[in-house]
Amino acid sequence: MSPSLWPYKAPSSHETMSAIIRRRSTNKTDVREAALDGLDLSSATKILDLGCGFGFMAEKLAGEVAPDAELLGVDAWQSNEKQFLEKVSSAGRSGRFHCVELDSTLPWENKSYDVVVCCFSLYFFVEILPEVARVLRPDGLFLAVTHSEHSVAGDLPAAGFEKAATGLLSLTRNFSAENGSELLGAHFGDVTRVNYINSLRFEKEHLDELFTYMRFKLPFLLPDAKPTDEIPDNLARYVGVAMARSGEVVVEKNDAIFRARRPLCH
Ligand SMILES: C[S@@+](CC[C@H](N)C(=O)[O-])C[C@H]1O[C@@H](n2cnc3c(N)ncnc32)[C@H](O)[C@@H]1O
């Protein structure tokens, strides 16, 4: 498994990190609510969540779909199954979980899903796009949430993590706010984008949260690091200087929500 997937092995630490992001976000609309805003999914019965993790998106999506809907979560880590199923059942829907490291194929029939969702995951396996279009029903919806290239590396170069910044940027460039419309346009006849403008604001009293957030991201910064390792000295120093200068650390975190319809392959 690639080091960039290690942070997602433990659903509880991923969930903690996700809660910190929501607490520290300057955009007070939950990104999932922004993604689902204005959609009528009340007749959708077959839902596929690719790279589902602990069920972050499934938790909100489940409440929007038909009462007899089934949500199938797919993730490279088996450890996500329990949390994913709990999130779906807490919304009163039934769930299933399939553990596989996705590449460029999906094992499901043509036109078999009403909704396919990739929330902060498609950049790990963007070669799957033609298959997403194939398994989606002609009137189905593909919902993809991703990062902006301009905010993903943030202050990492200034903090001495030039190489990690380049790596993160190239991962995001597989499917980003900036190139998502073009990539989706090759497979769907109707693509819309909604920008989700956001930043994370950590003040002095949120230092613990900032370090928890950074620790979670460590495997992206240092190839052999584990989320349990200590923060590298240069990063801790960078935070100290920023806090002393302005009393806060602000991390830009702009995202985009794509809604793609009319798969071209049918
Ligand atoms: C950033 S997390 C997003 C999880 C969830 N969708 C959310 O919004 O919180 C990315 C997820 O994609 C999964 N993932 C990454 N590459 C994968 C692959 N090739 N096949 C299956 N799952 C993958 C990871 O294990 C992780 O759970």
Side-chain angles (χ1 to χ4, degrees), residues 29-42:
T29 303
D30 188 308
V31 69
R32 297 167 295 180
E33 278 159 14
L36 296 168
D37 186 43
L39 296 175
D40 178 5
L41 303 176
S42 57

Side-chain angles (χ1 to χ4, degrees), residues 5 8 14 51-53 56 75-77 100-102 119-120 124-125:
L5 295 193
Y8 310 113
H14 189 187
C52 63
F56 173 70
D75 203 275
W77 293 110
V100 67
E101 189 164 353
L102 293 161
C119 186
F120 301 120
F124 287 112
F125 44 79

Side-chain angles (χ1 to χ4, degrees), residues 103-115:
D103 45 35
S104 57
T105 59
L106 289 175
W108 298 289
E109 288 179 12
N110 294 351
K111 308 181 190 176
S112 50
Y113 283 92
D114 297 304
V115 179

Side-chain angles (χ1 to χ4, degrees), residues 18-263:
S18 176
I20 290 173
I21 289 177
R22 285 202 303 288
R23 272 199 299 279
R24 295 298 140 234
S25 283
T26 52
N27 187 332
K28 292 302 171 196
T29 303
D30 188 308
V31 69
R32 297 167 295 180
E33 278 159 14
L36 296 168
D37 186 43
L39 296 175
D40 178 5
L41 303 176
S42 57
S43 57
T45 56
K46 288 206 62 192
I47 324 295
L48 185 59
D49 184 348
L50 299 176
C52 63
F54 65 85
F56 173 70
M57 178 51 97
E59 181 178 29
K60 292 275 182 210
L61 183 56
E64 300 292 320
V65 296
D68 60 341
E70 181 184 79
L71 287 85
L72 174 59
V74 179
D75 203 275
W77 293 110
Q78 181 65 44
S79 45
N80 280 307
E81 176 171 22
K82 184 167 171 281
Q83 266 88 344
F84 174 81
L85 295 179
E86 279 172 9
K87 293 277 185 288
V88 172
S89 71
S90 71
R93 302 295 184 272
S94 65
R96 279 194 302 131
F97 181 86
H98 181 67
C99 181
V100 67
E101 189 164 353
L102 293 161
D103 45 35
S104 57
T105 59
L106 289 175
W108 298 289
E109 288 179 12
N110 294 351
K111 308 181 190 176
S112 50
Y113 283 92
D114 297 304
V115 179
V116 180
V117 59
C118 285
C119 186
F120 301 120
S121 58
L122 187 56
Y123 38 76
F124 287 112
F125 44 79
V126 71
E127 298 78 19
I128 211 81
L129 261 181
E131 285 286 273
V132 170
R134 180 184 67 74
V135 302
L136 200 64
R137 290 184 175 145
D139 58 350
L141 168 73
F142 177 45
L143 190 59
V145 184
T146 191
H147 304 296
S148 163
E149 291 172 21
H150 298 304
S151 62
V152 72
D155 285 350
L156 285 177
F161 292 90
E162 192 71 56
K163 198 164 164 220
T166 310
L168 270 177
L169 189 57
S170 79
L171 174 67
T172 307
R173 276 190 177 142
N174 290 333
F175 182 81
S176 67
E178 287 73 18
N179 66 17
S181 295
E182 192 184 339
L183 291 170
L184 290 167
H187 305 282
F188 296 90
D190 176 5
V191 177
T192 59
R193 180 177 106 178
V194 177
N195 291 326
Y196 181 83
I197 305 302
N198 191 19
S199 57
L200 309 181
R201 209 163 151 245
F202 297 90
E203 295 174 36
K204 280 186 179 140
E205 63 267 35
H206 311 132
L207 257 185
D208 282 354
E209 289 190 343
L210 177 58
F211 284 129
T212 303
Y213 174 77
M214 287 176 164
R215 225 173 268 122
F216 184 86
K217 301 270 180 189
L218 272 186
F220 289 103
L221 306 188
L222 305 165
D224 297 323
K226 296 269 177 296
T228 45
D229 288 355
E230 279 313 306
I231 302 291
D233 287 348
N234 47 347
L235 196 50
R237 249 194 321 275
Y238 184 81
V239 168
V241 170
M243 282 290 181
R245 192 179 49 227
S246 58
E248 62 179 12
V249 169
V250 179
V251 179
E252 230 188 84
K253 198 187 176 310
N254 294 325
D255 298 323
I257 296 151
F258 291 96
R259 294 160 178 178
R261 296 179 174 88
R262 288 204 289 117

